[in-house]
Amino acid sequence: MNTINAFDLDAAASHIASFGESHDIEIVSHSSGGRAYRRKKRIAIRPVKSPVTYAIALHELGHVLGHQCGRRIDKELQAWEWARANALVWVRRMEDAKRDGLRSYVAWAERKQRRFPDRVFITPEHPVYEQAR
């Protein structure tokens, strides 16, 4: 991963397309955010037009290509770690998108935990808390 602050939009868009081609992953258009379908080898993303949409595209690819195990919160963290490790460049806006995404999943897991106290969605010592700050 390159941490230089220069973001090349064309290179980022080509990078996402190359993952699709080389791993036979279908990349379809999505109106907001992104979705991944691991078994179908498909991601639904907005077009790569900024560091944020590039980060989200990488994150969704991480759900398909990366190591995915554990609870949903674990898989979200793993997909973001894959995204960062495989990015051509990782700029502040991408880190902010990662943090915002993780915060939303922490909030989701905490709501679920309150609603279903007999099930475990997240624990206080989970590493996602450190990265969601």
Side-chain angles (χ1 to χ4, degrees), residues 17-67:
S18 73
F19 272 114
E21 292 167 12
S22 64
H23 296 281
D24 198 28
I25 297 170
E26 181 183 10
I27 301 174
V28 298
S29 182
H30 191 26
S31 59
S32 66
R35 297 207 39 131
Y37 306 90
R38 187 175 178 92
R39 288 187 195 118
K40 294 179 181 181
K41 292 185 76 176
R42 177 188 313 152
I43 63 169
I45 58 170
R46 291 172 42 203
V48 176
K49 294 187 176 182
S50 72
V52 171
T53 55
Y54 176 54
I56 292 169
L58 286 167
H59 169 77
E60 298 308 333
L61 283 169
H63 281 299
V64 176
L65 296 173
H67 175 74

mmCIF file of all heavy atoms in Angstrom, residues 17-67:
data_model
loop_
_atom_site.group_PDB
_atom_site.id
_atom_site.type_symbol
_atom_site.label_atom_id
_atom_site.label_comp_id
_atom_site.label_asym_id
_atom_site.label_seq_id
_atom_site.Cartn_x
_atom_site.Cartn_y
_atom_site.Cartn_z
ATOM 1 N N ALA A 17 -11.548 -2.262 -11.656
ATOM 2 C CA ALA A 17 -11.920 -3.063 -12.831
ATOM 3 C C ALA A 17 -10.980 -4.258 -13.007
ATOM 4 O O ALA A 17 -11.429 -5.365 -13.350
ATOM 5 C CB ALA A 17 -11.918 -2.188 -14.084
ATOM 6 N N SER A 18 -9.697 -4.057 -12.733
ATOM 7 C CA SER A 18 -8.737 -5.158 -12.905
ATOM 8 C C SER A 18 -8.980 -6.280 -11.908
ATOM 9 O O SER A 18 -8.794 -7.452 -12.235
ATOM 10 C CB SER A 18 -7.299 -4.648 -12.812
ATOM 11 O OG SER A 18 -6.953 -4.317 -11.487
ATOM 12 N N PHE A 19 -9.412 -5.944 -10.687
ATOM 13 C CA PHE A 19 -9.768 -6.994 -9.719
ATOM 14 C C PHE A 19 -10.948 -7.804 -10.263
ATOM 15 O O PHE A 19 -10.960 -9.037 -10.166
ATOM 16 C CB PHE A 19 -10.144 -6.401 -8.361
ATOM 17 C CG PHE A 19 -8.984 -6.208 -7.437
ATOM 18 C CD1 PHE A 19 -8.603 -4.927 -7.076
ATOM 19 C CD2 PHE A 19 -8.291 -7.279 -6.913
ATOM 20 C CE1 PHE A 19 -7.530 -4.726 -6.214
ATOM 21 C CE2 PHE A 19 -7.215 -7.092 -6.055
ATOM 22 C CZ PHE A 19 -6.837 -5.817 -5.707
ATOM 23 N N GLY A 20 -11.929 -7.101 -10.823
ATOM 24 C CA GLY A 20 -13.078 -7.796 -11.385
ATOM 25 C C GLY A 20 -12.669 -8.749 -12.497
ATOM 26 O O GLY A 20 -13.089 -9.910 -12.520
ATOM 27 N N GLU A 21 -11.833 -8.256 -13.392
ATOM 28 C CA GLU A 21 -11.400 -9.075 -14.528
ATOM 29 C C GLU A 21 -10.531 -10.246 -14.087
ATOM 30 O O GLU A 21 -10.741 -11.380 -14.512
ATOM 31 C CB GLU A 21 -10.636 -8.209 -15.523
ATOM 32 C CG GLU A 21 -11.502 -7.192 -16.227
ATOM 33 C CD GLU A 21 -10.707 -6.125 -16.967
ATOM 34 O OE1 GLU A 21 -9.475 -6.283 -17.127
ATOM 35 O OE2 GLU A 21 -11.322 -5.120 -17.376
ATOM 36 N N SER A 22 -9.559 -9.988 -13.241
ATOM 37 C CA SER A 22 -8.614 -11.050 -12.881
ATOM 38 C C SER A 22 -9.195 -12.089 -11.923
ATOM 39 O O SER A 22 -8.686 -13.208 -11.846
ATOM 40 C CB SER A 22 -7.328 -10.449 -12.297
ATOM 41 O OG SER A 22 -7.601 -9.769 -11.093
ATOM 42 N N HIS A 23 -10.266 -11.738 -11.214
ATOM 43 C CA HIS A 23 -10.869 -12.683 -10.265
ATOM 44 C C HIS A 23 -12.281 -13.094 -10.662
ATOM 45 O O HIS A 23 -12.989 -13.712 -9.874
ATOM 46 C CB HIS A 23 -10.881 -12.073 -8.861
ATOM 47 C CG HIS A 23 -9.517 -11.835 -8.310
ATOM 48 N ND1 HIS A 23 -8.746 -12.843 -7.770
ATOM 49 C CD2 HIS A 23 -8.767 -10.710 -8.241
ATOM 50 C CE1 HIS A 23 -7.589 -12.342 -7.368
ATOM 51 N NE2 HIS A 23 -7.569 -11.051 -7.650
ATOM 52 N N ASP A 24 -12.674 -12.728 -11.889
ATOM 53 C CA ASP A 24 -13.993 -13.069 -12.411
ATOM 54 C C ASP A 24 -15.107 -12.632 -11.449
ATOM 55 O O ASP A 24 -16.006 -13.402 -11.112
ATOM 56 C CB ASP A 24 -14.079 -14.576 -12.687
ATOM 57 C CG ASP A 24 -15.237 -14.921 -13.608
ATOM 58 O OD1 ASP A 24 -15.616 -14.065 -14.430
ATOM 59 O OD2 ASP A 24 -15.782 -16.032 -13.483
ATOM 60 N N ILE A 25 -15.016 -11.379 -11.018
ATOM 61 C CA ILE A 25 -16.015 -10.793 -10.131
ATOM 62 C C ILE A 25 -16.877 -9.848 -10.951
ATOM 63 O O ILE A 25 -16.366 -8.964 -11.645
ATOM 64 C CB ILE A 25 -15.358 -10.032 -8.965
ATOM 65 C CG1 ILE A 25 -14.554 -11.000 -8.097
ATOM 66 C CG2 ILE A 25 -16.405 -9.289 -8.131
ATOM 67 C CD1 ILE A 25 -13.677 -10.327 -7.075
ATOM 68 N N GLU A 26 -18.176 -10.043 -10.874
ATOM 69 C CA GLU A 26 -19.105 -9.157 -11.569
ATOM 70 C C GLU A 26 -19.222 -7.863 -10.766
ATOM 71 O O GLU A 26 -19.462 -7.895 -9.553
ATOM 72 C CB GLU A 26 -20.472 -9.825 -11.687
ATOM 73 C CG GLU A 26 -21.487 -8.986 -12.420
ATOM 74 C CD GLU A 26 -22.862 -9.621 -12.470
ATOM 75 O OE1 GLU A 26 -23.098 -10.638 -11.782
ATOM 76 O OE2 GLU A 26 -23.707 -9.066 -13.190
ATOM 77 N N ILE A 27 -19.039 -6.742 -11.426
ATOM 78 C CA ILE A 27 -19.160 -5.435 -10.784
ATOM 79 C C ILE A 27 -20.354 -4.733 -11.406
ATOM 80 O O ILE A 27 -20.363 -4.458 -12.608
ATOM 81 C CB ILE A 27 -17.874 -4.607 -10.955
ATOM 82 C CG1 ILE A 27 -16.680 -5.352 -10.335
ATOM 83 C CG2 ILE A 27 -18.042 -3.226 -10.321
ATOM 84 C CD1 ILE A 27 -15.331 -4.696 -10.574
ATOM 85 N N VAL A 28 -21.378 -4.496 -10.575
ATOM 86 C CA VAL A 28 -22.600 -3.858 -11.061
ATOM 87 C C VAL A 28 -22.788 -2.525 -10.358
ATOM 88 O O VAL A 28 -22.241 -2.284 -9.285
ATOM 89 C CB VAL A 28 -23.839 -4.765 -10.871
ATOM 90 C CG1 VAL A 28 -23.695 -6.050 -11.678
ATOM 91 C CG2 VAL A 28 -24.079 -5.066 -9.414
ATOM 92 N N SER A 29 -23.596 -1.681 -10.975
ATOM 93 C CA SER A 29 -23.856 -0.349 -10.437
ATOM 94 C C SER A 29 -24.846 -0.415 -9.287
ATOM 95 O O SER A 29 -25.791 -1.209 -9.301
ATOM 96 C CB SER A 29 -24.404 0.541 -11.552
ATOM 97 O OG SER A 29 -24.629 1.838 -11.066
ATOM 98 N N HIS A 30 -24.593 0.421 -8.285
ATOM 99 C CA HIS A 30 -25.468 0.519 -7.108
ATOM 100 C C HIS A 30 -25.654 1.995 -6.807
ATOM 101 O O HIS A 30 -24.724 2.786 -6.955
ATOM 102 C CB HIS A 30 -24.811 -0.211 -5.940
ATOM 103 C CG HIS A 30 -25.660 -0.430 -4.743
ATOM 104 N ND1 HIS A 30 -27.027 -0.509 -4.786
ATOM 105 C CD2 HIS A 30 -25.333 -0.621 -3.447
ATOM 106 C CE1 HIS A 30 -27.494 -0.733 -3.567
ATOM 107 N NE2 HIS A 30 -26.484 -0.797 -2.739
ATOM 108 N N SER A 31 -26.828 2.367 -6.355
ATOM 109 C CA SER A 31 -27.140 3.794 -6.186
ATOM 110 C C SER A 31 -26.450 4.444 -4.993
ATOM 111 O O SER A 31 -26.196 5.640 -5.000
ATOM 112 C CB SER A 31 -28.646 3.996 -6.094
ATOM 113 O OG SER A 31 -29.162 3.270 -4.998
ATOM 114 N N SER A 32 -26.152 3.692 -3.961
ATOM 115 C CA SER A 32 -25.468 4.284 -2.803
ATOM 116 C C SER A 32 -24.687 3.207 -2.064
ATOM 117 O O SER A 32 -25.074 2.045 -2.049
ATOM 118 C CB SER A 32 -26.474 4.938 -1.852
ATOM 119 O OG SER A 32 -27.312 3.959 -1.286
ATOM 120 N N GLY A 33 -23.587 3.619 -1.458
ATOM 121 C CA GLY A 33 -22.781 2.672 -0.690
ATOM 122 C C GLY A 33 -22.306 1.520 -1.542
ATOM 123 O O GLY A 33 -21.877 1.705 -2.679
ATOM 124 N N GLY A 34 -22.409 0.328 -1.015
ATOM 125 C CA GLY A 34 -21.986 -0.851 -1.744
ATOM 126 C C GLY A 34 -22.526 -2.108 -1.101
ATOM 127 O O GLY A 34 -22.973 -2.095 0.047
ATOM 128 N N ARG A 35 -22.486 -3.180 -1.845
ATOM 129 C CA ARG A 35 -22.912 -4.486 -1.358
ATOM 130 C C ARG A 35 -21.999 -5.529 -1.966
ATOM 131 O O ARG A 35 -21.502 -5.360 -3.082
ATOM 132 C CB ARG A 35 -24.342 -4.775 -1.767
ATOM 133 C CG ARG A 35 -25.312 -3.800 -1.159
ATOM 134 C CD ARG A 35 -26.675 -4.343 -0.982
ATOM 135 N NE ARG A 35 -26.693 -5.709 -0.564
ATOM 136 C CZ ARG A 35 -27.410 -6.156 0.449
ATOM 137 N NH1 ARG A 35 -28.118 -5.334 1.157
ATOM 138 N NH2 ARG A 35 -27.431 -7.432 0.764
ATOM 139 N N ALA A 36 -21.809 -6.597 -1.240
ATOM 140 C CA ALA A 36 -20.993 -7.698 -1.734
ATOM 141 C C ALA A 36 -21.786 -8.992 -1.636
ATOM 142 O O ALA A 36 -22.540 -9.203 -0.687
ATOM 143 C CB ALA A 36 -19.703 -7.818 -0.923
ATOM 144 N N TYR A 37 -21.594 -9.819 -2.642
ATOM 145 C CA TYR A 37 -22.233 -11.131 -2.699
ATOM 146 C C TYR A 37 -21.117 -12.148 -2.912
ATOM 147 O O TYR A 37 -20.749 -12.447 -4.056
ATOM 148 C CB TYR A 37 -23.260 -11.171 -3.837
ATOM 149 C CG TYR A 37 -24.270 -10.049 -3.752
ATOM 150 C CD1 TYR A 37 -24.031 -8.821 -4.376
ATOM 151 C CD2 TYR A 37 -25.448 -10.198 -3.030
ATOM 152 C CE1 TYR A 37 -24.941 -7.783 -4.302
ATOM 153 C CE2 TYR A 37 -26.375 -9.156 -2.942
ATOM 154 C CZ TYR A 37 -26.110 -7.959 -3.578
ATOM 155 O OH TYR A 37 -27.018 -6.923 -3.496
ATOM 156 N N ARG A 38 -20.558 -12.609 -1.815
ATOM 157 C CA ARG A 38 -19.366 -13.457 -1.850
ATOM 158 C C ARG A 38 -19.572 -14.705 -2.696
ATOM 159 O O ARG A 38 -18.749 -15.025 -3.550
ATOM 160 C CB ARG A 38 -18.958 -13.808 -0.419
ATOM 161 C CG ARG A 38 -17.639 -14.539 -0.309
ATOM 162 C CD ARG A 38 -17.273 -14.741 1.169
ATOM 163 N NE ARG A 38 -16.047 -15.471 1.317
ATOM 164 C CZ ARG A 38 -14.842 -14.900 1.431
ATOM 165 N NH1 ARG A 38 -14.723 -13.597 1.395
ATOM 166 N NH2 ARG A 38 -13.767 -15.639 1.585
ATOM 167 N N ARG A 39 -20.650 -15.432 -2.453
ATOM 168 C CA ARG A 39 -20.871 -16.690 -3.176
ATOM 169 C C ARG A 39 -21.093 -16.467 -4.670
ATOM 170 O O ARG A 39 -20.719 -17.304 -5.484
ATOM 171 C CB ARG A 39 -22.055 -17.438 -2.571
ATOM 172 C CG ARG A 39 -21.732 -18.023 -1.219
ATOM 173 C CD ARG A 39 -22.856 -18.904 -0.711
ATOM 174 N NE ARG A 39 -22.651 -19.139 0.709
ATOM 175 C CZ ARG A 39 -23.495 -18.769 1.640
ATOM 176 N NH1 ARG A 39 -24.624 -18.170 1.334
ATOM 177 N NH2 ARG A 39 -23.232 -19.012 2.909
ATOM 178 N N LYS A 40 -21.727 -15.360 -5.020
ATOM 179 C CA LYS A 40 -21.997 -15.056 -6.428
ATOM 180 C C LYS A 40 -20.822 -14.359 -7.106
ATOM 181 O O LYS A 40 -20.863 -14.118 -8.315
ATOM 182 C CB LYS A 40 -23.233 -14.166 -6.553
ATOM 183 C CG LYS A 40 -24.507 -14.854 -6.134
ATOM 184 C CD LYS A 40 -25.686 -13.917 -6.266
ATOM 185 C CE LYS A 40 -26.968 -14.585 -5.838
ATOM 186 N NZ LYS A 40 -28.122 -13.696 -5.991
ATOM 187 N N LYS A 41 -19.805 -14.007 -6.301
ATOM 188 C CA LYS A 41 -18.649 -13.259 -6.802
ATOM 189 C C LYS A 41 -19.121 -12.004 -7.528
ATOM 190 O O LYS A 41 -18.817 -11.780 -8.698
ATOM 191 C CB LYS A 41 -17.754 -14.132 -7.695
ATOM 192 C CG LYS A 41 -17.050 -15.224 -6.919
ATOM 193 C CD LYS A 41 -16.089 -15.992 -7.758
ATOM 194 C CE LYS A 41 -14.854 -15.166 -7.982
ATOM 195 N NZ LYS A 41 -13.801 -15.837 -8.715
ATOM 196 N N ARG A 42 -19.889 -11.189 -6.790
ATOM 197 C CA ARG A 42 -20.450 -9.964 -7.348
ATOM 198 C C ARG A 42 -20.370 -8.864 -6.294
ATOM 199 O O ARG A 42 -20.559 -9.115 -5.110
ATOM 200 C CB ARG A 42 -21.918 -10.179 -7.717
ATOM 201 C CG ARG A 42 -22.578 -8.909 -8.249
ATOM 202 C CD ARG A 42 -24.071 -9.038 -8.440
ATOM 203 N NE ARG A 42 -24.437 -10.260 -9.123
ATOM 204 C CZ ARG A 42 -25.612 -10.869 -8.953
ATOM 205 N NH1 ARG A 42 -26.495 -10.392 -8.119
ATOM 206 N NH2 ARG A 42 -25.882 -11.971 -9.606
ATOM 207 N N ILE A 43 -20.060 -7.663 -6.761
ATOM 208 C CA ILE A 43 -20.175 -6.495 -5.895
ATOM 209 C C ILE A 43 -21.049 -5.464 -6.607
ATOM 210 O O ILE A 43 -21.053 -5.384 -7.837
ATOM 211 C CB ILE A 43 -18.815 -5.879 -5.495
ATOM 212 C CG1 ILE A 43 -18.045 -5.341 -6.715
ATOM 213 C CG2 ILE A 43 -17.985 -6.872 -4.694
ATOM 214 C CD1 ILE A 43 -16.834 -4.490 -6.355
ATOM 215 N N ALA A 44 -21.776 -4.704 -5.818
ATOM 216 C CA ALA A 44 -22.594 -3.610 -6.334
ATOM 217 C C ALA A 44 -22.043 -2.338 -5.708
ATOM 218 O O ALA A 44 -22.023 -2.207 -4.475
ATOM 219 C CB ALA A 44 -24.059 -3.817 -5.958
ATOM 220 N N ILE A 45 -21.567 -1.434 -6.553
ATOM 221 C CA ILE A 45 -20.903 -0.219 -6.076
ATOM 222 C C ILE A 45 -21.311 0.976 -6.925
ATOM 223 O O ILE A 45 -21.799 0.817 -8.047
ATOM 224 C CB ILE A 45 -19.363 -0.358 -6.113
ATOM 225 C CG1 ILE A 45 -18.883 -0.679 -7.545
ATOM 226 C CG2 ILE A 45 -18.883 -1.397 -5.108
ATOM 227 C CD1 ILE A 45 -17.399 -0.598 -7.751
ATOM 228 N N ARG A 46 -21.087 2.150 -6.373
ATOM 229 C CA ARG A 46 -21.190 3.373 -7.170
ATOM 230 C C ARG A 46 -19.927 3.461 -8.034
ATOM 231 O O ARG A 46 -18.893 2.903 -7.672
ATOM 232 C CB ARG A 46 -21.300 4.586 -6.254
ATOM 233 C CG ARG A 46 -22.635 4.611 -5.530
ATOM 234 C CD ARG A 46 -22.755 5.669 -4.480
ATOM 235 N NE ARG A 46 -22.212 6.956 -4.865
ATOM 236 C CZ ARG A 46 -21.814 7.875 -3.991
ATOM 237 N NH1 ARG A 46 -21.898 7.664 -2.704
ATOM 238 N NH2 ARG A 46 -21.348 9.022 -4.407
ATOM 239 N N PRO A 47 -19.991 4.175 -9.146
ATOM 240 C CA PRO A 47 -18.782 4.343 -9.961
ATOM 241 C C PRO A 47 -17.657 4.982 -9.137
ATOM 242 O O PRO A 47 -17.912 5.814 -8.269
ATOM 243 C CB PRO A 47 -19.233 5.291 -11.079
ATOM 244 C CG PRO A 47 -20.719 5.158 -11.124
ATOM 245 C CD PRO A 47 -21.145 4.854 -9.718
ATOM 246 N N VAL A 48 -16.428 4.581 -9.411
ATOM 247 C CA VAL A 48 -15.274 5.130 -8.704
ATOM 248 C C VAL A 48 -15.004 6.527 -9.241
ATOM 249 O O VAL A 48 -14.511 6.690 -10.360
ATOM 250 C CB VAL A 48 -14.042 4.215 -8.845
ATOM 251 C CG1 VAL A 48 -12.830 4.862 -8.188
ATOM 252 C CG2 VAL A 48 -14.326 2.844 -8.255
ATOM 253 N N LYS A 49 -15.360 7.535 -8.436
ATOM 254 C CA LYS A 49 -15.188 8.925 -8.834
ATOM 255 C C LYS A 49 -14.528 9.771 -7.752
ATOM 256 O O LYS A 49 -14.447 10.984 -7.876
ATOM 257 C CB LYS A 49 -16.545 9.536 -9.199
ATOM 258 C CG LYS A 49 -17.157 8.914 -10.431
ATOM 259 C CD LYS A 49 -18.398 9.640 -10.857
ATOM 260 C CE LYS A 49 -18.916 9.049 -12.155
ATOM 261 N NZ LYS A 49 -20.095 9.757 -12.638
ATOM 262 N N SER A 50 -14.091 9.122 -6.674
ATOM 263 C CA SER A 50 -13.463 9.849 -5.568
ATOM 264 C C SER A 50 -12.704 8.850 -4.701
ATOM 265 O O SER A 50 -12.900 7.634 -4.833
ATOM 266 C CB SER A 50 -14.538 10.548 -4.721
ATOM 267 O OG SER A 50 -15.266 9.588 -3.969
ATOM 268 N N PRO A 51 -11.886 9.345 -3.781
ATOM 269 C CA PRO A 51 -11.231 8.429 -2.851
ATOM 270 C C PRO A 51 -12.234 7.603 -2.038
ATOM 271 O O PRO A 51 -11.992 6.433 -1.745
ATOM 272 C CB PRO A 51 -10.415 9.360 -1.951
ATOM 273 C CG PRO A 51 -10.146 10.560 -2.801
ATOM 274 C CD PRO A 51 -11.389 10.725 -3.628
ATOM 275 N N VAL A 52 -13.370 8.206 -1.699
ATOM 276 C CA VAL A 52 -14.366 7.495 -0.888
ATOM 277 C C VAL A 52 -14.995 6.345 -1.674
ATOM 278 O O VAL A 52 -15.102 5.226 -1.164
ATOM 279 C CB VAL A 52 -15.445 8.467 -0.352
ATOM 280 C CG1 VAL A 52 -16.592 7.712 0.299
ATOM 281 C CG2 VAL A 52 -14.822 9.444 0.637
ATOM 282 N N THR A 53 -15.404 6.588 -2.921
ATOM 283 C CA THR A 53 -16.003 5.496 -3.692
ATOM 284 C C THR A 53 -14.974 4.417 -4.023
ATOM 285 O O THR A 53 -15.326 3.236 -4.113
ATOM 286 C CB THR A 53 -16.700 6.018 -4.970
ATOM 287 O OG1 THR A 53 -15.771 6.787 -5.746
ATOM 288 C CG2 THR A 53 -17.921 6.862 -4.628
ATOM 289 N N TYR A 54 -13.716 4.802 -4.145
ATOM 290 C CA TYR A 54 -12.643 3.815 -4.339
ATOM 291 C C TYR A 54 -12.499 2.954 -3.089
ATOM 292 O O TYR A 54 -12.424 1.726 -3.170
ATOM 293 C CB TYR A 54 -11.339 4.535 -4.677
ATOM 294 C CG TYR A 54 -10.118 3.651 -4.820
ATOM 295 C CD1 TYR A 54 -10.105 2.559 -5.681
ATOM 296 C CD2 TYR A 54 -8.960 3.928 -4.104
ATOM 297 C CE1 TYR A 54 -8.977 1.767 -5.829
ATOM 298 C CE2 TYR A 54 -7.821 3.149 -4.246
ATOM 299 C CZ TYR A 54 -7.830 2.064 -5.096
ATOM 300 O OH TYR A 54 -6.707 1.282 -5.231
ATOM 301 N N ALA A 55 -12.487 3.584 -1.920
ATOM 302 C CA ALA A 55 -12.360 2.840 -0.662
ATOM 303 C C ALA A 55 -13.526 1.878 -0.475
ATOM 304 O O ALA A 55 -13.336 0.717 -0.070
ATOM 305 C CB ALA A 55 -12.274 3.806 0.514
ATOM 306 N N ILE A 56 -14.730 2.345 -0.769
ATOM 307 C CA ILE A 56 -15.905 1.477 -0.619
ATOM 308 C C ILE A 56 -15.841 0.308 -1.598
ATOM 309 O O ILE A 56 -16.153 -0.835 -1.241
ATOM 310 C CB ILE A 56 -17.200 2.297 -0.768
ATOM 311 C CG1 ILE A 56 -17.339 3.250 0.431
ATOM 312 C CG2 ILE A 56 -18.421 1.384 -0.884
ATOM 313 C CD1 ILE A 56 -18.419 4.303 0.277
ATOM 314 N N ALA A 57 -15.411 0.569 -2.829
ATOM 315 C CA ALA A 57 -15.264 -0.513 -3.810
ATOM 316 C C ALA A 57 -14.253 -1.549 -3.324
ATOM 317 O O ALA A 57 -14.502 -2.763 -3.403
ATOM 318 C CB ALA A 57 -14.842 0.060 -5.158
ATOM 319 N N LEU A 58 -13.122 -1.091 -2.814
ATOM 320 C CA LEU A 58 -12.121 -2.012 -2.264
ATOM 321 C C LEU A 58 -12.692 -2.798 -1.089
ATOM 322 O O LEU A 58 -12.449 -4.008 -0.955
ATOM 323 C CB LEU A 58 -10.875 -1.248 -1.819
ATOM 324 C CG LEU A 58 -9.962 -0.747 -2.921
ATOM 325 C CD1 LEU A 58 -8.957 0.252 -2.360
ATOM 326 C CD2 LEU A 58 -9.237 -1.907 -3.602
ATOM 327 N N HIS A 59 -13.438 -2.120 -0.229
ATOM 328 C CA HIS A 59 -14.062 -2.779 0.924
ATOM 329 C C HIS A 59 -14.988 -3.908 0.455
ATOM 330 O O HIS A 59 -14.938 -5.024 0.990
ATOM 331 C CB HIS A 59 -14.833 -1.744 1.749
ATOM 332 C CG HIS A 59 -15.709 -2.343 2.800
ATOM 333 N ND1 HIS A 59 -15.211 -2.820 3.985
ATOM 334 C CD2 HIS A 59 -17.040 -2.534 2.833
ATOM 335 C CE1 HIS A 59 -16.219 -3.287 4.716
ATOM 336 N NE2 HIS A 59 -17.341 -3.120 4.029
ATOM 337 N N GLU A 60 -15.812 -3.628 -0.550
ATOM 338 C CA GLU A 60 -16.725 -4.659 -1.053
ATOM 339 C C GLU A 60 -15.943 -5.803 -1.692
ATOM 340 O O GLU A 60 -16.287 -6.974 -1.508
ATOM 341 C CB GLU A 60 -17.736 -4.060 -2.026
ATOM 342 C CG GLU A 60 -18.640 -3.002 -1.416
ATOM 343 C CD GLU A 60 -19.347 -3.417 -0.130
ATOM 344 O OE1 GLU A 60 -19.595 -4.620 0.087
ATOM 345 O OE2 GLU A 60 -19.666 -2.518 0.672
ATOM 346 N N LEU A 61 -14.868 -5.492 -2.408
ATOM 347 C CA LEU A 61 -14.000 -6.547 -2.938
ATOM 348 C C LEU A 61 -13.405 -7.367 -1.802
ATOM 349 O O LEU A 61 -13.234 -8.584 -1.927
ATOM 350 C CB LEU A 61 -12.888 -5.947 -3.798
ATOM 351 C CG LEU A 61 -13.284 -5.495 -5.202
ATOM 352 C CD1 LEU A 61 -12.166 -4.675 -5.828
ATOM 353 C CD2 LEU A 61 -13.660 -6.686 -6.073
ATOM 354 N N GLY A 62 -13.094 -6.711 -0.690
ATOM 355 C CA GLY A 62 -12.557 -7.413 0.474
ATOM 356 C C GLY A 62 -13.509 -8.461 1.016
ATOM 357 O O GLY A 62 -13.081 -9.498 1.527
ATOM 358 N N HIS A 63 -14.821 -8.200 0.897
ATOM 359 C CA HIS A 63 -15.801 -9.212 1.328
ATOM 360 C C HIS A 63 -15.759 -10.439 0.423
ATOM 361 O O HIS A 63 -16.027 -11.547 0.869
ATOM 362 C CB HIS A 63 -17.219 -8.625 1.304
ATOM 363 C CG HIS A 63 -17.545 -7.765 2.470
ATOM 364 N ND1 HIS A 63 -17.532 -8.217 3.771
ATOM 365 C CD2 HIS A 63 -17.908 -6.458 2.530
ATOM 366 C CE1 HIS A 63 -17.878 -7.235 4.579
ATOM 367 N NE2 HIS A 63 -18.099 -6.152 3.855
ATOM 368 N N VAL A 64 -15.413 -10.244 -0.845
ATOM 369 C CA VAL A 64 -15.386 -11.352 -1.801
ATOM 370 C C VAL A 64 -14.020 -12.050 -1.805
ATOM 371 O O VAL A 64 -13.941 -13.273 -1.806
ATOM 372 C CB VAL A 64 -15.748 -10.863 -3.218
ATOM 373 C CG1 VAL A 64 -15.623 -11.989 -4.237
ATOM 374 C CG2 VAL A 64 -17.154 -10.271 -3.236
ATOM 375 N N LEU A 65 -12.947 -11.259 -1.788
ATOM 376 C CA LEU A 65 -11.602 -11.818 -1.959
ATOM 377 C C LEU A 65 -10.831 -12.037 -0.661
ATOM 378 O O LEU A 65 -9.893 -12.820 -0.637
ATOM 379 C CB LEU A 65 -10.777 -10.896 -2.866
ATOM 380 C CG LEU A 65 -11.275 -10.761 -4.297
ATOM 381 C CD1 LEU A 65 -10.480 -9.694 -5.032
ATOM 382 C CD2 LEU A 65 -11.199 -12.099 -5.009
ATOM 383 N N GLY A 66 -11.217 -11.329 0.370
ATOM 384 C CA GLY A 66 -10.462 -11.392 1.613
ATOM 385 C C GLY A 66 -10.908 -12.512 2.542
ATOM 386 O O GLY A 66 -11.884 -13.208 2.289
ATOM 387 N N HIS A 67 -10.166 -12.652 3.616
ATOM 388 C CA HIS A 67 -10.487 -13.610 4.676
ATOM 389 C C HIS A 67 -11.739 -13.122 5.391
ATOM 390 O O HIS A 67 -11.786 -11.983 5.841
ATOM 391 C CB HIS A 67 -9.296 -13.692 5.647
ATOM 392 C CG HIS A 67 -9.554 -14.541 6.827
ATOM 393 N ND1 HIS A 67 -9.583 -15.915 6.762
ATOM 394 C CD2 HIS A 67 -9.817 -14.208 8.111
ATOM 395 C CE1 HIS A 67 -9.845 -16.395 7.965
ATOM 396 N NE2 HIS A 67 -9.988 -15.386 8.801
#
